[in-house]
Amino acid sequence: MASNSFNEAFNMRIKKINPKKLLEFEDFAGPGLVSKTLFGSFRDNVLLFLQNFSEIEDYTVDDMPVWCTLLVTKHGGAFPLFIVEETVWNSENPHCSHCKLSGDLNWMGWGHHFVCKRKYHLIIPSYEDWDKPLHGNFSQFQSHSLYSLIHCNGYGHLISINGIQDGTNFISFREVMDFWNHLCTVLRARKISFYDVSRRGPIELRLIYGAAYGHSWYSNWDYKLRDRFSGGTDQELCTAMKFLSSFDLDKIVRDFKKKKNGKEIKELINKYREMSDKPLVTIGDLLKYMLKFKSRLAVPGFKPSEFDSKDGENTTSLESFMNSMTKGDCRWSAKRLEEVLRVIVDLLNEHKTNNFDGKDGMTRHELREGARKSIGDTGLIDFVLKCIRCFQVENQIIRRTINPYGRLVEFTIHDIVQEAESMKWPIPVMNFNCRWSRDKLEHAANAIVSVLKENKGNKTMPRQELRDKAKDLIHDTGLIDFVLKSLDNSTVGNQIVYRSKNPITKSIEFSLMSVSENLEMSANLNGLLGLNLSEEVLFLYKKVLLGYSDLNSIGLTARLILDSNLFVKELPIEKEVNGFMTLTCRVFPSFDELDTELTRRLSPGEVVVVSPSITIGELKVVAQRALRDTYCVMDNLVLTQVGALKRIEDELILSCAVHPGSEVWVRGSGLDLVTSLRYEDGLKNTINDIVSY
């Protein structure tokens, strides 16, 4: 975690910076200084943003300059937004792998775009990295609170998004997504893609969210499905999610009545129907009700449970928790705060020992009265209790929760080691048929875990690939097969190995999660509702949502949702801004170039913002400058006319010849058709590239 010295340095930086460069996180897109300053194209706006609202750092990343903008929250905290400018001249790979990824899906993406001269990486690091310079491999990190990339032509990619936990104040997925949406709007980005592969363990989040709410989480910000061939149209996806969410629970009970898990499915549905004050008719009703208890699936957009702590429950270290209490106007010394914490931990452990199941919490009043016997300052006790959310002391986690029945604040303590040990590794070493010793089994299991750790950035690993890589460490394939067969939601050291079946390929896959991550995903109501709630959601996911065959309408619907990965948001281009006209200037190549070299879809044009009183000849100069500044193949472009087939006279006033918001074709010479920096996907030509979005 970030140290207290960093917080002090960060606060000093805020005091020194020009107040105009401090941006409010929540109100970023309001009618303030930023939106008034930036009314041009993205190409121009991003440079103005760096000049007026960012400060350049005193280091570079692989020769790429880095800027930092400080974002201030309503909680009084601040955190950095880093922007890295990558040019084709300082880039190890000037082509875009994200455009290429989109383009590989039946040529649906932006691989046909001409290579842009610049692209911008926008990063909000995770809290523990705020005090560290960005590394050259920053694009490989999975922990960034926000990571995106936008080309200078305004087309970009949202790569990853997480919530922000700075030790005291939690900013949710939704708030980070709101900020990202505002940032794209203010900078006037054009289109943003997102390839959704988010999951928790074996659960694909887009399926569980769609089944619960009847729509995609990203549709809240107007992201629409564009992966038409591998999935469906956006309208088909919307219809599929609504259909799945509205599927009748009684019909599900009848469908599974004579099947293996039919009894358990019926009991689970009846259990929540009895608990709910409102009738649960559809599977969407059931999942939404279950998720109100905060199953710790951490699905983006799930509303925090009314039964849980206010600010989320990301576990922080004791050092980080102490830092969060001592910063600001705290009038007690760190020694006094630590003394109160020690008393609270002792009281919780004593209560846990004397309690029958060892999990019931102490109310705030009980804990306060108990602490008063050792600490005379009730103001100090109240301050510490108010600050507690979820932190770790040695091998124990202290949590603040709200009892769902008494509605009172409670504090609980859990032993990490005991909970981890309770999840037994089900390898039957005493089985008569097992011919390997315990040591060999554990050695093989640890080797498998090490392979999964190396692969963790890719989330899951097919069984065959895992087996092949494990063979480099364990040469006994029989032993590997035996261990792989035995591992299923199993604990190996401080890691949990999950096994699942890919609903599309039907192959067995493995994934990995640390015990501490799993504990944070567990509901506060463990034991109170019978099963662990996350296990119940997982049960419904596996046995119901994926339990129907592909010939059934539910099975087909689930398959469509799982196959739908690529989403795109198109931001509208304002036709007129502050009395200026917005136009898109697009190069129309010669017929010979179209026939021999430029056989793919034409690359999009470039946005220019100009006065309506200029002439067509002056527009030609502005367009030439913009196109040269944007695309590598147009470095020496010379425009000779405005108009594709029919020339528009240079002397005409622009407003008399062109409407605001129009796409204007321009023609000229000088396209560099020899350079390797032609298309973003690195390919040259293809005759299949015929579908546009």
Side-chain angles (χ1 to χ4, degrees):
M1 285 295 191
S3 65
N4 196 38
S5 60
F6 169 65
N7 291 327
E8 293 173 359
F10 208 62
N11 290 333
M12 290 178 62
R13 185 174 185 176
I14 293 174
K15 292 177 182 178
K16 291 180 179 180
I17 199 170
N18 185 335
K20 292 182 179 180
K21 293 189 176 184
L22 285 175
L23 302 182
E24 294 185 7
F25 176 78
E26 291 84 5
D27 300 324
F28 180 73
L33 181 63
V34 178
S35 57
K36 290 180 180 178
T37 304
L38 309 178
F39 61 87
S41 65
F42 175 84
R43 179 189 68 258
D44 296 327
N45 285 342
V46 68
L47 296 177
L48 285 172
F49 182 84
L50 295 177
Q51 176 183 333
N52 294 311
F53 305 105
S54 303
E55 290 190 340
I56 194 163
E57 297 291 283
D58 58 1
Y59 65 91
T60 61
V61 176
D62 294 337
D63 296 326
M64 295 182 288
V66 181
W67 284 265
C68 179
T69 298
L70 296 183
L71 302 168
V72 182
T73 73
K74 61 186 177 183
H75 304 293
F79 55 89
L81 167 67
F82 291 108
I83 300 180
V84 181
E85 183 185 60
E86 179 182 356
T87 70
V88 292
W89 300 283
N90 61 21
S91 175
E92 293 184 0
N93 183 10
H95 299 101
C96 179
S97 60
H98 302 287
C99 286
K100 184 176 182 180
L101 173 66
S102 300
D104 281 344
L105 298 175
N106 293 289
W107 311 105
M108 289 301 302
W110 303 331
H112 69 289
H113 288 194
F114 290 141
V115 174
C116 289
K117 291 185 175 181
R118 299 177 302 282
K119 49 190 172 186
Y120 297 89
H121 303 264
L122 297 91
I123 303 162
I124 299 177
S126 58
Y127 171 66
E128 56 267 22
D129 293 325
W130 288 0
D131 59 339
K132 303 172 185 175
L134 293 177
H135 295 287
N137 61 342
F138 63 82
S139 63
Q140 304 301 317
F141 288 2
Q142 301 292 319
S143 58
H144 293 315
S145 297
L146 173 70
Y147 175 43
S148 59
L149 180 154
I150 307 182
H151 302 276
C152 64
N153 66 353
Y155 286 75
H157 315 278
L158 175 59
I159 299 169
S160 66
I161 181 171
N162 295 286
I164 299 175
Q165 174 72 44
D166 69 355
T168 56
N169 299 315
F170 179 75
I171 298 174
S172 68
F173 284 89
R174 184 175 291 274
E175 289 173 305
V176 176
M177 193 66 183
D178 283 339
F179 168 76
W180 165 246
N181 193 54
H182 296 334
L183 183 62
C184 290
T185 301
V186 168
L187 293 178
R188 301 187 187 277
R190 296 167 69 181
K191 289 185 180 181
I192 302 295
S193 74
F194 179 72
Y195 194 70
D196 185 12
V197 291
S198 53
R199 60 189 297 159
R200 286 295 182 273
I203 294 181
E204 297 279 357
L205 298 187
R206 63 187 174 281
L207 178 56
I208 200 74
Y209 188 91
Y213 294 94
H215 60 84
S216 162
W217 186 66
Y218 295 97
S219 67
N220 293 312
W221 295 272
D222 296 323
Y223 281 78
K224 299 183 183 300
L225 180 70
R226 286 295 183 269
D227 191 3
R228 301 177 195 168
F229 285 98
S230 61
T233 65
D234 187 68
Q235 184 58 47
E236 288 172 342
L237 178 63
C238 292
T239 302
M241 288 185 170
K242 289 178 182 177
F243 171 73
L244 184 60
S245 178
S246 63
F247 199 67
D248 189 81
L249 289 175
D250 292 332
K251 178 71 164 58
I252 291 174
V253 171
R254 292 195 298 271
D255 289 344
F256 287 91
K257 183 177 181 179
K258 297 182 179 180
K259 296 186 178 180
K260 181 179 179 181
N261 300 107
K263 182 180 178 181
E264 290 85 349
I265 292 172
K266 181 179 180 180
E267 289 176 350
L268 188 147
I269 291 173
N270 289 338
K271 168 183 169 180
Y272 281 98
R273 278 177 162 173
E274 291 174 3
M275 292 172 55
S276 175
D277 295 332
K278 298 179 180 179
L280 303 181
V281 179
T282 67
I283 192 168
D285 295 336
L286 175 62
L287 285 171
K288 278 185 286 189
Y289 181 78
M290 293 174 71
L291 293 168
K292 282 184 179 180
F293 290 97
K294 203 168 186 180
S295 67
R296 289 297 172 269
L297 287 174
V299 178
F302 282 169
K303 296 180 180 179
S305 166
E306 59 180 339
F307 298 150
D308 281 315
S309 61
K310 180 179 179 181
D311 293 319
E313 276 200 347
N314 284 19
T315 304
T316 60
S317 66
L318 177 61
E319 178 187 2
S320 176
F321 180 50
M322 289 293 297
N323 287 340
S324 69
M325 288 196 295
T326 54
K327 71 180 182 181
D329 299 327
C330 178
R331 56 191 176 93
W332 293 280
S333 67
K335 183 177 180 181
R336 289 283 285 157
L337 295 171
E338 192 171 344
E339 182 183 355
V340 177
L341 282 177
R342 187 166 57 250
V343 170
I344 289 173
V345 170
D346 289 343
L347 287 170
L348 288 171
N349 276 318
E350 181 182 353
H351 178 82
K352 177 183 174 183
T353 302
N354 296 331
N355 205 44
F356 176 73
D357 61 11
K359 289 189 177 181
D360 287 349
M362 293 182 70
T363 66
R364 179 187 177 280
H365 177 72
E366 291 172 341
L367 202 52
R368 185 177 188 267
E369 291 303 306
R372 282 182 62 188
K373 297 176 182 179
S374 303
I375 308 294
D377 189 342
T378 54
L380 171 58
I381 298 171
D382 291 340
F383 175 78
V384 174
L385 290 175
K386 181 180 179 181
C387 291
I388 292 176
R389 288 295 179 267
C390 185
F391 70 96
Q392 181 175 339
V393 180
E394 296 179 349
N395 66 335
Q396 292 185 307
I397 291 179
I398 289 83
R399 283 193 178 99
R400 172 193 180 121
T401 63
I402 296 180
N403 187 291
Y405 298 125
R407 311 292 293 171
L408 297 176
V409 173
E410 289 187 345
F411 296 84
T412 60
I413 191 166
H414 300 271
D415 294 326
I416 296 177
V417 175
Q418 289 181 3
E419 295 202 28
E421 289 178 348
S422 68
M423 293 177 282
K424 299 298 183 181
W425 180 36
I427 294 185
V429 294
M430 301 304 293
N431 189 307
F432 178 78
N433 295 320
C434 181
R435 55 190 176 91
W436 294 279
S437 67
R438 178 78 185 187
D439 289 342
K440 285 189 175 182
L441 292 170
E442 289 184 350
H443 179 60
N446 287 324
I448 289 170
V449 167
S450 67
V451 173
L452 288 171
K453 280 184 178 180
E454 293 179 0
N455 183 68
K456 195 164 185 183
N458 297 322
K459 304 300 182 184
T460 62
M461 197 173 203
R463 180 189 180 280
Q464 187 60 48
E465 181 183 353
L466 178 58
R467 183 180 188 269
D468 292 342
K469 291 190 176 182
K471 283 166 61 178
D472 295 335
L473 304 173
I474 306 294
H475 302 297
D476 187 341
T477 55
L479 172 58
I480 296 173
D481 291 338
F482 182 81
V483 174
L484 287 175
K485 183 179 180 180
S486 302
L487 288 174
D488 185 11
N489 292 7
S490 307
T491 302
V492 181
N494 64 346
Q495 300 289 327
I496 302 175
V497 181
Y498 291 96
R499 182 172 64 188
S500 60
K501 179 181 287 188
N502 187 302
I504 300 174
T505 65
K506 304 300 182 183
S507 62
I508 298 297
E509 295 181 339
F510 290 85
S511 58
L512 196 66
M513 180 180 293
S514 69
V515 171
S516 58
E517 287 177 312
N518 182 72
L519 291 177
E520 289 181 20
M521 286 172 57
S522 299
N524 287 332
L525 306 182
N526 279 358
L528 188 62
L529 301 177
L531 285 173
N532 181 310
L533 185 58
S534 60
E535 291 179 359
E536 293 182 325
V537 174
L538 178 59
F539 177 80
L540 282 179
Y541 177 84
K542 284 186 172 182
K543 305 304 180 183
V544 177
L545 297 181
L546 300 181
Y548 285 92
S549 74
D550 290 344
L551 300 178
N552 183 280
S553 58
I554 293 296
L556 289 171
T557 301
R559 169 67 68 86
L560 173 62
I561 295 171
L562 289 171
D563 285 353
S564 302
N565 299 98
L566 182 61
F567 296 84
V568 173
K569 176 183 176 70
E570 181 172 2
L571 290 91
I573 297 178
E574 294 186 49
K575 296 181 179 180
E576 295 181 278
V577 184
N578 296 345
F580 288 79
M581 293 174 60
T582 302
L583 303 173
T584 303
C585 296
R586 195 174 189 184
V587 173
F588 191 87
S590 68
F591 291 108
D592 182 58
E593 290 170 335
L594 288 172
D595 187 50
T596 59
E597 290 291 339
L598 302 177
T599 58
R600 300 181 70 172
R601 282 178 290 155
L602 293 179
S603 186
E606 184 55 18
V607 173
V608 296
V609 180
V610 293
S611 169
S613 61
I614 67 172
T615 64
I616 292 295
E618 290 171 321
L619 172 64
K620 188 166 59 178
V621 175
V622 173
Q624 178 177 291
R625 185 187 307 121
L627 291 164
R628 282 184 172 187
D629 186 46
T630 303
Y631 299 112
C632 295
V633 298
M634 299 185 186
D635 210 24
N636 297 310
L637 175 68
V638 177
L639 294 184
T640 55
Q641 75 174 52
V642 175
L645 301 179
K646 184 178 180 181
R647 178 191 183 96
I648 303 177
E649 296 300 324
D650 288 353
E651 294 77 16
L652 278 177
I653 300 298
L654 180 62
S655 59
C656 298
V658 178
H659 295 292
S662 298
E663 181 176 70
V664 178
W665 289 98
V666 294
R667 302 192 71 167
S669 61
L671 291 178
D672 185 355
L673 302 179
V674 180
T675 179
S676 61
L677 301 177
R678 182 188 296 187
Y679 293 121
E680 287 286 5
D681 60 11
L683 302 178
K684 185 177 180 181
N685 284 321
T686 174
I687 60 174
N688 297 320
D689 194 7
I690 57 175
V691 185
S692 178
Y693 66 79

